[in-house]
Amino acid sequence: MIYAPEYYLKFRCIAEQCRHSCCIGWEIDIDDASYKRYHGVLGEFGKRLKEQIEITDGVAHFKLGEKGRCPFLNERNLCDIILQLGKPCLCQICSEHPRFYNEYDGRRELGLGLCCEEACRLILTEQQPMKLVRIEGEGEELPFFGFRERLFSQLCDRSVPLNQRIKGIGFSLPEHSAEEWKKLFLELEHLNAEWESLLLDLEEAELEFSSEWDIPFEQLLVYFLYRHLGEGVYDGRIEERILFSLLGLHFIQLLCANHAKRKGSVTLDDFLEYARMYSTEIEYSEEN
């Protein structure tokens, strides 16, 4: 069986319109099939492909240029590999980003990561509660999915304020001050200097948000749970993964509250940017 959130099928890369291109600042590994394909390309472009690939510790990858740009990201922020060879010739990591896959016995779930600004916008501005749809296949369900569905249903019950819904699920973060959370996050790996600067400026702020924020915060928490809770089926760490999801919501709310404290208000665009940055720094660093 294959499942995905309804929004998954709406996703389209916005290419040159993206302000935070995934072709900048990320190491781009090349899978074996693509490596062989690229070495079979003839002519000037084939020569360029071969010149821009190197192997480190047995892994082929593109040589990143100034400011970490992929050598095939042109001056218009478009991909020359797509322009020259077509989208099917992208290497696996480029064709699949920002998608992720959770595998279970007889079931696969598809998702989109918030590190992509367009995926972030799509997920967190969706007005309807997150709904999983079956794309193909049938089979037996694990008890875990019933538990998760009840959790989602409770968190998406919009007849109740979000903070009460969260209290109702029976899990809560340990009490820590902003300074203590700041200390923890500063000890982690930092991928971007802007993120470190945000952490250094973090201070205590009132986490009081109007009801208009309930839907985007709900979508954020459900996203974290959908992405991370499933691995608990195999390692048994269900509670820890729920708390990790709650921490993601809490910390992004703290960033928003600090923004409002400094500038008088916080916008939806500010929230989306903090969510994108958090995802990039925490979800996309294996070490973190």
Side-chain angles (χ1 to χ4, degrees):
M1 291 185 292
I2 299 178
Y3 281 81
E6 278 189 318
Y7 59 70
Y8 181 90
L9 300 175
K10 302 177 188 176
F11 175 74
R12 298 292 182 275
C13 173
I14 59 174
E16 76 276 17
Q17 299 173 46
C18 186
R19 294 170 299 133
H20 304 281
S21 173
C22 55
C23 306
I24 301 174
W26 298 88
E27 183 173 294
I28 305 171
D29 293 339
I30 303 169
D31 56 285
D32 291 342
S34 298
Y35 181 77
K36 291 175 183 175
R37 185 186 306 119
Y38 293 158
H39 273 264
V41 176
L42 303 176
E44 283 300 313
F45 193 72
K47 179 182 177 184
R48 181 182 165 196
L49 270 170
K50 296 175 185 68
E51 289 175 346
Q52 295 300 330
I53 295 174
E54 61 184 0
I55 297 178
T56 305
D57 297 329
V59 178
H61 57 89
F62 292 123
K63 301 175 184 177
L64 299 184
E66 186 179 357
K67 297 183 179 179
R69 289 177 68 91
C70 171
F72 295 97
L73 184 66
N74 66 29
E75 68 281 356
R76 294 180 293 153
N77 277 354
L78 293 172
C79 175
D80 281 340
I81 292 178
I82 293 178
L83 295 175
Q84 294 287 331
L85 305 178
K87 194 172 180 180
C89 287
L90 285 175
C91 58
Q92 186 176 13
I93 195 170
C94 293
S95 63
E96 293 194 349
H97 182 83
R99 298 162 185 85
F100 66 82
Y101 308 98
N102 289 333
E103 306 284 352
Y104 307 94
D105 290 339
R107 175 169 173 147
R108 172 182 247 207
E109 292 186 343
L110 319 178
L112 302 169
L114 294 184
C115 77
C116 166
E117 68 181 69
E118 177 61 10
C120 189
R121 182 201 64 78
L122 184 67
I123 295 167
L124 301 184
T125 62
E126 174 61 55
Q127 293 301 297
Q128 297 303 313
M130 195 276 273
K131 180 181 178 182
L132 280 179
V133 294
R134 188 170 65 212
I135 295 176
E136 66 177 63
E138 295 184 3
E140 294 184 9
E141 299 283 12
L142 296 173
F144 162 78
F145 297 114
F147 161 75
R148 190 184 64 180
E149 183 57 37
R150 291 190 294 274
L151 187 64
F152 286 171
S153 294
Q154 188 165 353
L155 289 171
C156 296
D157 179 4
R158 295 178 179 174
S159 66
V160 179
L162 180 62
N163 60 349
Q164 292 182 28
R165 292 179 241 162
I166 293 173
K167 288 178 183 177
I169 67 175
F171 297 89
S172 59
L173 285 173
E175 292 285 339
H176 287 309
S177 66
E179 191 63 31
E180 289 171 315
W181 287 124
K182 171 180 173 176
K183 183 175 183 295
L184 169 65
F185 278 84
L186 281 170
E187 292 172 351
L188 301 179
E189 178 187 33
H190 303 145
L191 306 180
N192 189 294
E194 187 181 359
W195 175 251
E196 187 172 3
S197 178
L198 266 180
L199 296 179
L200 289 169
D201 290 341
L202 198 66
E203 57 185 36
E204 210 67 59
E206 191 65 41
L207 296 183
E208 289 292 333
F209 297 91
S210 63
S211 59
E212 67 182 305
W213 286 97
D214 275 8
I215 290 178
F217 287 159
E218 169 201 306
Q219 299 287 14
L220 179 63
L221 179 55
V222 171
Y223 159 84
F224 281 133
L225 289 165
Y226 176 66
R227 178 158 195 172
H228 299 290
L229 191 56
E231 289 186 33
V233 172
Y234 300 105
D235 64 18
R237 302 178 73 186
I238 296 290
E239 181 177 358
E240 290 92 333
R241 294 180 185 282
I242 292 175
L243 295 177
F244 176 72
S245 301
L246 289 170
L247 174 58
L249 172 64
H250 176 77
F251 199 76
I252 292 167
Q253 286 178 327
L254 189 56
L255 291 172
C256 289
N258 269 260
H259 186 104
K261 185 177 180 179
R262 292 192 306 271
K263 301 191 177 182
S265 64
V266 61
T267 67
L268 181 62
D269 284 341
D270 297 325
F271 163 65
L272 296 177
E273 179 62 3
Y274 290 140
R276 184 199 66 79
M277 292 177 72
Y278 181 94
S279 176
T280 299
E281 294 285 337
I282 305 303
E283 293 187 300
Y284 284 81
S285 163
E286 282 196 31
E287 181 179 325
N288 288 345

